Structure formats: structure tokens, C-alpha cells
Amino acid sequence: MHSPLLNPSLLAGDHAHLAASARVVADLGLPWLHVDIMDGKFVPNLTFGPETLAALRRHGIDLFFDTHLMLAEPHLYVDAFAKAGANSISIHIEPSYDHGATLARIRSLGCGAGIVLNPDTPASSIESFIDRVDLVLVMTVQPGFGGQAFRQDMLPKLKTISSWRAARGLNFRLEVDGGIDSSNAVECRSAGADTFVTGTSFFKSADKAAFAASFAAL
Ligand code: DX5
Ligand code: ZN
């Protein structure tokens, strides 16, 4: 089982000072940064593009960029995000495109490949891909906005995917994203999650070192 990994989401950072927000994460010694990319089509919101990642790299941010593509046509953008400095690229199962070819392309670009499913999408929809991914992301809110309430009813889905991982001897990370805080993270950990995206709860935390320590202890 993977060690617990706290993965702050840049979406909840200061959009006029993104490098400074990323630096807060790096200065805590945390290795990962979750970067949410939205297209106003797959989700009703807009965020960053490849140039944002490239600019963070130019500003000396060397965190592992866990890039969550909420795009209707993610296959058209994986090359650009890999070139811009993404380390992991996750794509949603819901839109129709060649998911298998896109996951393979992400790996061929030297990035970890992730598959993501929305709260209303059943675990079975991604089952045929779990042997060729480095990460499975279970959305615990409807994607598009930070600050929403955690969906408790996603715990059985985590357990199902976690049990497939164990039964098949697979090693992908199991990530949760949406409304995660240090209390519901305990339940997610028990259900098999090891990678915890936190936007609002991280950036609003008054004592970020203590917040990070609570996740390290999960
Ligand atoms: C939502 C994004 C999340 C978001 C989570 O669509 O995928 O990564 O940043 O934010 P919180 O932790 O505030 O729910
Ligand atoms: Zn996300």
C-alpha cells in the first residue's frame, strides 16, 4: 500500500500569485501539486493552460505536477501539457475519445497516466483500464469548482477499486479529489485511498505544517 500523500490543489491558491502559492507547498516539503485544467465545456468553469505550468517551472517550482484534465477533448492536449512540465496527466472516462490510446500516449511522453471518474460514473466504467494506469482518481464532488461538500457515498466506490487493485496485484495510486479535509481523509484512507487532493482545506488552514502532519499520519 502506498504511503499517504497530501496533494494541495493550486485551484484554491492565489491566481494572481500562483508561483507564490506553489512555493507554500514546496516550503512544507510536500512533493506534489495538483493542477486543475478546465475547458468551460466538460465542466462549467475555466482555469489554467499549459503555459501556466511552463511559467511555474520558469519560476523554479520543481514540484511533481499532478495534472487533472477536465476537458471534453483531452487527447488533443496531452502533448502540450507534457511539454509544459506535467509529471502525471489524468484524463476523464466520461467524454468519448480513445481512452486507451491517450493513456498510452501520456506514458510514452514520460508522464504517469491517470484515469478519472465522476461521482455518478460507476467503477465498472474504468475497470478495463486499471492495469495500464499509474493513478485512479475518484472524484468526491462533481468537478468544476472548489469548496464543495465531500460525497460520503463515494466510499464504496473506493473500496471496490481498492479491492481490484489488491486482487490483481496492481500498484496504481488511488486518489480522492473534492471536499477532502483531515477528518474525511481518515475514512477515505480506510477505503483504500492513498493520495489526497486538498484545495480549500489546505489553503484555508492556519497551521499548514500541522495540517500536513495529520495527512502523513493517516
Ligand atoms: C474540482 C477540482 C478539485 C478542487 C478541489 O473540480 O478537481 O481539484 O481543487 O477543491 P476542494 O478541495 O476545495 O474541494
Ligand atoms: Zn482536481
Side-chain angles (χ1 to χ4, degrees):
M1 195 172 182
H2 292 285
S3 307
L5 182 67
L6 174 60
N7 187 10
S9 172
L10 192 61
L11 183 66
D14 181 341
H15 287 223
H17 300 278
L18 292 173
S21 294
R23 183 76 60 202
V24 168
V25 177
D27 286 350
L28 286 165
L30 297 170
W32 281 35
L33 183 72
H34 185 78
V35 186
D36 288 302
I37 310 296
M38 305 186 189
D39 66 353
K41 192 170 173 191
F42 177 65
V43 290
N45 199 2
L46 297 162
T47 54
F48 317 121
E51 179 52 26
T52 313
L53 279 73
L56 288 168
R57 292 292 187 226
R58 285 198 300 276
H59 281 267
I61 303 299
D62 59 1
L63 293 161
F64 183 99
F65 287 162
D66 173 39
T67 315
H68 175 192
L69 301 187
M70 283 160 273
L71 306 177
E73 298 185 298
H75 55 296
L76 302 182
Y77 298 97
V78 295
D79 285 61
F81 280 102
K83 191 170 174 218
N87 300 102
S88 171
I89 300 178
S90 296
I91 55 172
H92 273 260
I93 192 70
E94 292 85 7
S96 77
Y97 58 94
D98 189 337
H99 304 88
T102 308
L103 291 168
R105 178 71 186 159
I106 291 168
R107 279 184 162 176
S108 78
L109 292 164
C111 295
I115 191 82
V116 193
L117 65 173
N118 280 343
D120 294 336
T121 304
S124 57
S125 68
I126 59 138
E127 188 174 359
S128 63
F129 296 105
I130 62 171
D131 61 352
R132 47 185 133 151
V133 295
D134 303 288
L135 183 146
V136 172
L137 169 49
V138 172
M139 290 306 302
T140 47
V141 299
Q142 187 63 23
F145 298 91
Q148 303 180 72
F150 170 73
R151 294 254 315 241
Q152 198 84 27
D153 57 332
M154 295 300 104
L155 294 170
K157 191 191 282 186
L158 286 171
K159 284 184 190 150
T160 298
I161 297 170
S162 173
S163 71
W164 291 341
R165 176 173 60 178
R168 297 172 205 187
L170 298 169
N171 197 36
F172 56 82
R173 282 195 164 274
L174 185 51
E175 181 174 61
V176 284
D177 181 9
I180 302 298
D181 59 27
S182 43
S183 104
N184 58 40
V186 175
E187 300 165 79
C188 292
R189 180 70 171 155
S190 301
D194 46 58
T195 306
F196 303 88
V197 177
T198 56
T200 307
S201 63
F202 176 82
F203 280 100
K204 288 224 163 123
S205 170
D207 186 345
K208 292 184 174 53
F211 184 84
S214 72
F215 281 80
L218 282 171

